[in-house]
Amino acid sequence: MPRRYLEPLPGGASRLILREGTRVLEDRVVTQVPAAWAALAAACEAAPPPILPGLPADRPLVMGVINVTPDSFSDGGDHFRADDAIAAGEAMVDAGADILDIGGESTRPGAERIPPAEEIGRIVPVVAALAGRAPVSVDTRNAATMQAALAAGARIVNDVSGLTHDPAAAGVIADADCPVVLMHMRGTPATMNALATYDDVALDVHDELADRLAAAEQAGIARGRIILDPGLGFAKTAEHNLELLRRLRLFRGFGRPLLVGASRKRFIGHYGGAPDPKARLPGSLAAALWAAINGASILRVHDVAETVQALRVWRAIAGG
C-alpha cells in the first residue's frame, strides 16, 4: 500500500507526497490540505505529548549528555571516573538540564562493542547518584543494562539501535512501561558508515522509523511511551544530516515527540570549519535552535548552559 507523507512548509503551505516503495506517485504543494490527508495534518500541528509527569510540555527539553566512556567522539575520558560523571551531571542540572542521558558504551563510527557487564559497571553508580536530581535516561542497546539502570533509578531508555540490537530489549521496555527513544540507525557503529545510501533520506528514514515504531507496538510497548530520533550522524553523510534537519517537520506526522541530537557532531565541524569537536559550540547551537523551531521536543546536547540560554532568548523573541 502506498505511504502518505505530509511536510508542513513555511508560510502555511504543505507538501504532500505519495510513495510506493521508492517510487513517488504524487508530490505536490498545497495551501489547503485535502480531507484524505487531514489526520496527518492534525498530527503535525498538534502539541507534542508530555515525556514524563512533571516535565514541561510547552517548550523543548534539554537532555544533557554524560558519556562514562574512554572513547566517545567528543568527550571520551572526560567523565570516565564515576565521580567526574556525577559532578558533570550535577552541574548540568544546575545549568537547567531537564533530563540526563547517561551512557557507558561509545557508539561513534567504528566503535567496537563492550560486554554489558562492563557497561553496567560504568553507569549504574552514576545513574543511582543522579536519579534523585533529574530524570535519567540510559543510553544503551543492551537489555541487561536497561534493566540494571532502571533498577538504579533511570526512567527513560535511549536505544540508538531502535531496539534491533538485543532481542530482549523490547520486552524489558514493555515490562517497565517506561518512555523509550527509538533512533534511526543502519547496521552497527562498526558498519554504519558503509550503509549511508538512500533514495530520499528523509522519506527513507521516515519509513524505517515507521517500521521500528510498529515493531515496538507489536512487542507490547505503548505508543504513548515512544519518542523518535532521526539519528543524525548514524549511517548518514553530512548532507544527509542537513536534509533531515531541513525536513524535520515531516516527522511530526507520527504524532510522537522528536529527539534531535546534533551536538558537536562531525557534520557541524565539516560545515563550520571546526575539526575539534569541543570547538563546535556555535554550530551546535545553530542546529539546536533550528530543530527547536521545527518541532523537536528534546535536544540532546553536551553544552547545557549555553543551549538553555539560547532557548530562553529564542522563546523571549518568539513571545512565549
Side-chain angles (χ1 to χ4, degrees), residues 156-159 163 173 178-182 221 225-228:
I156 302 168
V157 171
N158 180 12
D159 185 346
L163 300 178
I173 304 301
C178 65
V180 59
V181 180
L182 303 181
I221 299 171
R225 291 298 201 181
I226 297 171
I227 301 160
L228 299 175

Side-chain angles (χ1 to χ4, degrees), residues 59-67 73-75 79 88-89 91-93 95-103 137 139 158 229 232 259-265 268 277 280-292 296-311:
R59 62 168 175 82
L61 302 176
V62 175
M63 173 185 275
V65 179
I66 304 173
N67 291 313
F73 80 96
S74 73
D75 59 356
H79 309 134
M92 288 179 180
V93 174
D98 299 293
I99 303 167
L100 299 175
D101 193 44
I102 301 172
S137 164
D139 177 4
N158 180 12
D229 178 351
L232 301 182
L259 184 152
V260 173
S263 179
R264 298 187 184 179
K265 288 194 171 172
I268 290 175
R280 297 172 185 168
L281 173 61
S284 297
L285 291 176
L289 286 174
W290 175 274
S297 296
I298 306 174
L299 303 173
R300 185 180 183 273
V301 305
H302 299 84
D303 302 291
V304 168
E306 295 85 350
T307 306
V308 168
Q309 183 182 107
L311 287 171

Side-chain angles (χ1 to χ4, degrees), residues 173-316:
I173 304 301
D175 290 344
D177 192 29
C178 65
V180 59
V181 180
L182 303 181
M183 194 191 80
H184 177 271
M185 180 183 184
R186 288 178 173 177
T188 68
T191 65
M192 62 185 176
N193 279 353
L195 302 174
T197 303
Y198 302 90
D199 288 290
D200 179 313
V201 66
L203 299 186
D204 292 352
V205 168
H206 182 286
D207 288 354
E208 291 170 30
L209 276 178
D211 292 343
R212 296 314 312 148
L213 179 61
E217 290 187 277
Q218 280 191 334
I221 299 171
R223 188 182 184 90
R225 291 298 201 181
I226 297 171
I227 301 160
L228 299 175
D229 178 351
L232 301 182
F234 288 79
K236 318 288 191 305
T237 66
E239 178 56 36
H240 289 152
N241 293 323
L242 292 190
E243 183 70 2
L244 287 168
L245 285 169
R246 289 185 194 114
R247 301 178 66 186
L248 189 63
R249 290 179 181 269
L250 175 76
F251 297 91
R252 288 294 303 274
F254 284 113
R256 304 307 314 140
L258 300 178
L259 184 152
V260 173
S263 179
R264 298 187 184 179
K265 288 194 171 172
R266 185 177 300 176
F267 80 97
I268 290 175
H270 174 76
Y271 291 107
D276 179 359
K278 292 183 179 178
R280 297 172 185 168
L281 173 61
S284 297
L285 291 176
L289 286 174
W290 175 274
I293 290 166
N294 286 282
S297 296
I298 306 174
L299 303 173
R300 185 180 183 273
V301 305
H302 299 84
D303 302 291
V304 168
E306 295 85 350
T307 306
V308 168
Q309 183 182 107
L311 287 171
R312 285 175 177 165
V313 173
W314 161 58
R315 293 184 73 232

